[in-house]
Amino acid sequence: MKKKVSIIIRTKNEERWITSCLSAVFAQNYKNFEVILVDNNSSDKTVEKASKFPIKLVEIQKFIPGEAINKGIRNSTGDYIVCLSGHCVPVDETWLEELIKD
């Protein structure tokens, strides 16, 4: 069985990019993954747009980069951890598969 990947995406007011980011993530050929969105109190529609996808939402009030990632990891169940920012958009459908390839 393929190893599970936890993709942790940090966001703060990323409504401009989050739909493109998540669309590209969910279009991956490698399908054994979960997405944990760690949102830093966004005041725009980031969370509303992200909630249209099957994500796990973790909300934080104060952004400290390492702490945000650690909260995402604590809420993950994967064998691998992949970290993205909400404005990062994978360029093709093999991005995840290539990233974790042995």
Side-chain angles (χ1 to χ4, degrees), residues 3-7 32-34 36 56 72-73 75-82:
K3 301 259 184 179
K4 184 174 183 181
V5 179
S6 295
I7 302 172
N32 192 17
F33 66 87
E34 65 179 347
I36 297 105
K56 184 186 295 183
I73 291 170
N75 283 277
S76 69
T77 61
D79 301 296
Y80 295 109
I81 302 292
V82 173

Side-chain angles (χ1 to χ4, degrees), residues 44-86:
D44 64 3
K45 294 183 179 178
T46 299
V47 173
E48 179 183 328
K49 289 182 173 190
S51 294
K52 294 180 177 163
F53 294 86
I55 62 159
K56 184 186 295 183
L57 178 64
V58 176
E59 296 178 302
I60 59 174
Q61 299 304 311
K62 182 177 179 189
F63 179 69
I64 300 169
E67 186 177 324
I69 291 169
N70 285 337
K71 283 190 178 200
I73 291 170
R74 282 193 293 277
N75 283 277
S76 69
T77 61
D79 301 296
Y80 295 109
I81 302 292
V82 173
C83 298
L84 284 178
S85 293

Side-chain angles (χ1 to χ4, degrees), residues 8-27:
I8 299 167
I9 302 177
R10 297 177 303 167
T11 58
K12 168 82 175 178
N13 294 332
E14 296 285 0
E15 82 173 288
R16 178 179 176 195
W17 297 105
I18 195 62
T19 299
S20 297
C21 172
L22 290 171
S23 292
V25 166
F26 283 98

